[in-house]
């Protein structure tokens, strides 16, 4: 948490001193939320943003180990009015705004799965490697007004390894309409038994190989979480983006031998160049 708070402070200080007039020179985003990538600058057609992000995060779900990961940021987009089709990393999707207060999103992405080597301390030895799998993500946000100051959010993740649902409330800070500023979301996360046991269950074979107790989880509450997103235009082409996430697991998840920590946390910063 000390590292998370330090990086958030750095991000906020940079946002205070960088000239806000640059951001106001950019045209309106399709929806003024920092968590929604929009590289179009208010214009229809193709747009491209490329960059790198650095994340300091939990090694795997339930881990008490942390590591640094560098990964690509940005993506290719095509906008037509209130619709954007995008390809970002391993995700292909669409998002659209309706009646100025509804944001819909659908995408197909990939879950990297979990490997025994994710734990440097050997806590996953004997549990085997999980294969990468495709997932369908459906999301809707309903703003209380066209200014997108407060909204409700719902998200469903479904695939061959079960289903996860997220429900929450969001708040946007700042007056910008170009997708910069910051936002905060407080969410409740539920999962079905298949999804729960993928991450925290231990079957008979895994128990025999690892020495851990056989564990089976039921469907229900997974966690309570909070996430913060920040985005700022350094100049007309460069963006800086920061994100911090904290997720506190339910008692059922915490009782699993795989969950060596009561929470999952992540903090990251990235720079994106808009072509």
């Amino acid at each position: 948490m000390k590292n998370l708070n330090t990086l958030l402070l750095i991000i906020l200080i940079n946002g205070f001193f960088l000239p806000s007039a640059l951001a106001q020179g950019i045209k309106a985003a399709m929806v003024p939320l920092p968590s929604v990538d929009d590289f179009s600058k208010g214009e229809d057609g193709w747009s491209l943003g490329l960059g790198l992000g650095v994340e300091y995060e939990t090694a795997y779900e339930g881990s008490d180990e942390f590591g640094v990961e560098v990964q690509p940021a940005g993506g290719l987009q095509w906008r037509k009015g209130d619709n954007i089709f995008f390809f970002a990393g391993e995700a292909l999707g669409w998002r659209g705004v309706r009646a100025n207060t509804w944001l819909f999103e659908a995408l197909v992405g990939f879950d990297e799965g979990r490997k025994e080597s994710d734990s440097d301390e050997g806590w996953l030895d004997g549990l085997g490697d999980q294969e990468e799998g495709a997932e369908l993500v459906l999301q809707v946000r309903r703003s209380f007004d066209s200014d997108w100051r407060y909204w409700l959010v719902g998200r469903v993740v479904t695939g061959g390894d079960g289903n996860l649902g997220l429900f929450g409330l969001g708040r946007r800070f700042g007056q910008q309409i170009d997708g910069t500023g910051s936002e905060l979301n407080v969410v409740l996360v539920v999962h079905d038994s298949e999804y729960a046991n993928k991450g925290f269950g231990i079957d008979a074979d895994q128990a025999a190989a690892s020495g851990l107790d056989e564990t089976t989880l039921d469907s229900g509450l997974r966690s309570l979480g909070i996430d913060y997103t920040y985005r700022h235009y350094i100049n007309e082409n460069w963006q800086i983006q920061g994100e911090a996430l904290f997720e506190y697991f339910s008692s059922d998840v915490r009782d699993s031998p795989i969950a060596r920590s009561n929470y999952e946390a992540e903090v990251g910063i990235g720079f994106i160049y808009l072509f």
Side-chain angles (χ1 to χ4, degrees):
M1 289 301 294
K2 180 179 180 181
N3 290 317
L4 185 152
N5 292 332
T6 301
L7 185 50
L8 276 179
L9 180 60
I10 293 172
I11 292 172
L12 290 172
I13 290 174
N14 275 281
F16 181 81
F17 286 105
L18 289 172
S20 59
L22 292 172
Q24 297 303 327
I26 306 297
K27 295 182 179 179
M30 187 177 71
V31 59
L33 298 180
S35 62
V36 179
D37 287 335
D38 184 351
F39 306 140
S40 68
K41 299 181 181 179
E43 299 178 357
D44 286 352
W46 292 100
S47 57
L48 176 65
L50 292 177
L52 285 176
V54 180
E55 296 179 348
Y56 181 73
E57 60 184 351
T58 306
Y60 58 90
E61 292 181 342
S63 174
D64 58 358
E65 304 169 59
F66 286 80
V68 176
E69 181 178 1
V70 179
Q71 57 184 12
L76 179 66
Q77 301 179 349
W78 184 77
R79 178 172 178 173
K80 179 66 174 178
D82 288 333
N83 299 279
I84 290 180
F85 298 87
F86 60 90
F87 175 73
E90 295 183 323
L92 179 66
W94 160 85
R95 66 174 60 99
V97 174
R98 298 294 182 268
N100 294 323
T101 56
W102 290 91
L103 173 65
F104 297 94
E105 184 172 80
L107 66 89
V108 176
F110 290 91
D111 177 11
E112 296 179 355
R114 187 187 65 204
K115 297 179 174 58
E116 290 187 1
S117 59
D118 288 343
S119 173
D120 293 335
E121 301 295 331
W123 300 119
L124 298 177
D125 291 353
L127 298 181
D129 294 342
Q130 296 176 347
E131 296 182 358
E132 184 179 82
E135 292 182 330
L136 174 65
V137 181
L138 303 174
Q139 178 175 230
V140 59
R141 301 195 205 188
R142 172 63 164 92
S143 177
F144 296 141
D145 54 44
S146 59
D147 193 38
W148 284 88
R149 187 63 57 191
Y150 295 93
W151 61 87
L152 299 174
V153 58
R155 182 186 305 156
V156 175
V157 180
T158 183
D161 295 315
N163 305 285
L164 177 143
L166 178 152
F167 310 94
L169 174 68
R171 166 76 157 94
R172 180 174 71 93
F173 303 92
Q175 302 299 321
Q176 300 94 320
I177 60 172
D178 57 0
T180 63
S182 61
E183 70 177 70
L184 190 71
N185 291 271
V186 179
V187 298
L188 179 149
V189 186
V190 297
H191 51 198
D192 64 15
S193 58
E194 187 176 1
Y195 199 99
N197 285 291
K198 171 197 171 186
F200 300 100
I202 302 173
D203 61 28
D205 291 338
Q206 291 174 322
S210 66
L212 300 175
D213 292 337
E214 186 173 349
T215 303
T216 301
L217 280 73
D218 296 325
S219 59
L221 178 65
R222 169 191 171 91
S223 63
L224 296 174
I226 183 169
D227 70 85
Y228 173 86
T229 304
Y230 172 87
R231 190 186 299 268
H232 187 90
Y233 274 99
I234 299 174
N235 57 37
E236 186 176 353
N237 296 101
W238 280 101
Q239 285 186 359
I240 180 174
Q241 181 179 10
E243 184 175 15
L245 167 71
F246 180 84
E247 182 181 10
Y248 187 76
F249 295 127
S250 68
S251 58
D252 286 346
V253 172
R254 298 197 306 270
D255 288 341
S256 168
I258 296 176
R260 299 189 57 82
S261 175
N262 294 336
Y263 66 89
E264 181 176 359
E266 175 183 325
V267 61
I269 187 170
F271 294 89
I272 301 173
Y273 184 84
L274 277 60
F275 291 86

